[in-house]
Amino acid sequence: MIRDAVAAGSRASSGLANRMKSAAQLPSVEARFCRRSLRLSVRAAGSTYGTAFRVTTFGESHGKGVGCVVDGVPPRLQISEQEIQLELDRRKPGQSIITTPRKEEDIAEILSGVYDGVTLGSPIAILVRNKDQRSQDYSEMSVAYRPSHADATYDFKYGIRAIAGGGRSSARETIGRVAAGAIAKKLLNVVGGTEILAYVNRVKDIDSYVDHEHFTMADVESNIVRCPDQEAAKRMIDAINDVRNRGESCGGEVTCVVRHCPKGLGSPVFDKLEAELAKAMLSLPATKGFEIGSGFSGSRMLGSEHNDEFYMSEDGQVRTRTNRSGGIQGGLSNGENIVIKVAFKPTSTISVKQKTVTREGAETELRARGRHDPCVVPRAVPMVESMVALVLADQLLQHYAQCELLPRDNSVTPDSKVAKQFAVKQ
């Protein structure tokens, strides 16, 4: 067997050497291309997330359409275009005075993977067509870089970019994430009764207070800024209107709470659940910070102050009296609420004149045009929820593929909320 492996390796090395030798005999341009293609072996696409529940988004802001392909969705899950549309309506532009005035219906079309409202287990493709593009608003940006936007860095990396609307760097790309997130939310709710709710907890320096145990989707959607604290919401709306009227922008924070998360999701070391959530959150446009549980404030506490003490609940579950861990310990979910917070910077594109440079390197000034959110956080709420759902759905499938195929012999049983879906003895 070892001799066979060595022989196979030798043949592979010999084959590569022969191809390199053949490349050297080609005309110079073809030889350079061939030699280069043989060296390139690392995939660097960046538009796909997930291992078992795998999502790829596609499309540009001012292209013909945007969407996603979702692979790994279990068969026999009931899902409809209406359920996906509900989430897309929460993130679509033009929904209030404090969001971008761009008008898009954002109607979802399921192209494959679903039959009569039931998933088939095959890839699910979802398309949303763009209709209200105004590419002429971006003529200045074709030659001058918008400060703190992705214009310059896309040119640095690719040497070409979709100028109108920012292309892939536009928040319009998140339509695919939200559509896929609707499927992930449904799966998590059906399997474990999991509920994922986010809300705006801060705009500029205006904070809010929200009871994480009891707030509802209706509370979040009760005002246009998506803050359940009604008094704080009024001040937030006034602050956004103020910067909008001045051609400025402002930032804020979104908090997301996951209730009834199955226990044991995540993996030790590099794939800890909080690490996956951090990556997912910071992949969203305009994000600048991530916290879980006590976050940075926990660094100022003593161990005796920060530790979450265990106790046995009346229904025989291991619980914690406090939740400074934010529902994750050792990189694994412990069944308590997962609580994360995401910071969003002010929108980069503003109508205030700023100094910049052109693609040719000449210094100039730019007053950007186009239709943009004066504050991104109200529409970021469904985006945050969706990315959390995609992480948890992917981790759920991986967890049960590895850890719940065989029965357990000790007193620590699988999460009772999800074990009913599998042939596991309790």
Side-chain angles (χ1 to χ4, degrees), residues 209-221:
Y209 173 77
V210 176
D211 182 351
H212 289 172
E213 294 294 333
H214 300 105
F215 81 98
T216 65
M217 175 72 78
D219 295 329
V220 175
E221 298 296 328

Side-chain angles (χ1 to χ4, degrees), residues 47 55-60 64-70 88 107-109 111 124-130 168 172-180:
S47 292
V55 179
T56 300
T57 69
F58 62 84
E60 290 81 37
K64 292 185 178 180
V66 292
C68 64
V69 177
V70 191
L88 289 177
I107 302 300
E109 302 176 45
L111 305 182
I124 300 174
I126 301 172
L127 173 65
V128 171
R129 301 181 190 275
N130 294 329
R168 288 290 284 170
R172 192 144 182 81
E173 175 273 333
T174 63
I175 283 176
R177 308 185 195 212
V178 173

Side-chain angles (χ1 to χ4, degrees), residues 9 49 70 72 84 100 118 122 125 134 202 223 247 266 278 281 299 339 419 423:
Y49 177 80
V70 191
I84 296 171
T100 170
V118 179
S122 54
R134 292 184 188 174
R202 187 174 63 80
N223 55 70
M281 295 305 107
S299 65
V339 183

Side-chain angles (χ1 to χ4, degrees), residues 286-316:
T287 50
K288 284 298 178 183
F290 172 85
E291 287 188 351
I292 181 163
S294 62
F296 288 96
S297 66
S299 65
R300 297 189 289 270
M301 303 172 70
L302 297 174
S304 57
E305 296 172 323
H306 190 272
N307 287 346
D308 297 316
E309 294 183 341
F310 290 108
Y311 75 98
M312 295 302 299
S313 66
E314 292 182 358
D315 58 353

Side-chain angles (χ1 to χ4, degrees), residues 334-345:
N334 64 5
E336 303 296 333
N337 288 351
I338 294 176
V339 183
I340 66 171
K341 187 181 295 183
V342 189
F344 290 83
K345 68 175 183 176

Side-chain angles (χ1 to χ4, degrees), residues 391-424:
V391 171
L392 296 182
D394 188 40
Q395 293 298 321
L396 179 70
L397 295 182
Q398 291 184 64
H399 170 72
Y400 274 91
Q402 179 190 14
C403 299
E404 304 301 348
L405 292 179
L406 301 177
R408 299 181 182 225
D409 296 327
N410 56 29
S411 60
V412 181
T413 62
D415 195 323
S416 60
K417 296 190 296 296
V418 294
K420 66 179 184 297
Q421 296 292 324
F422 301 87
V424 180

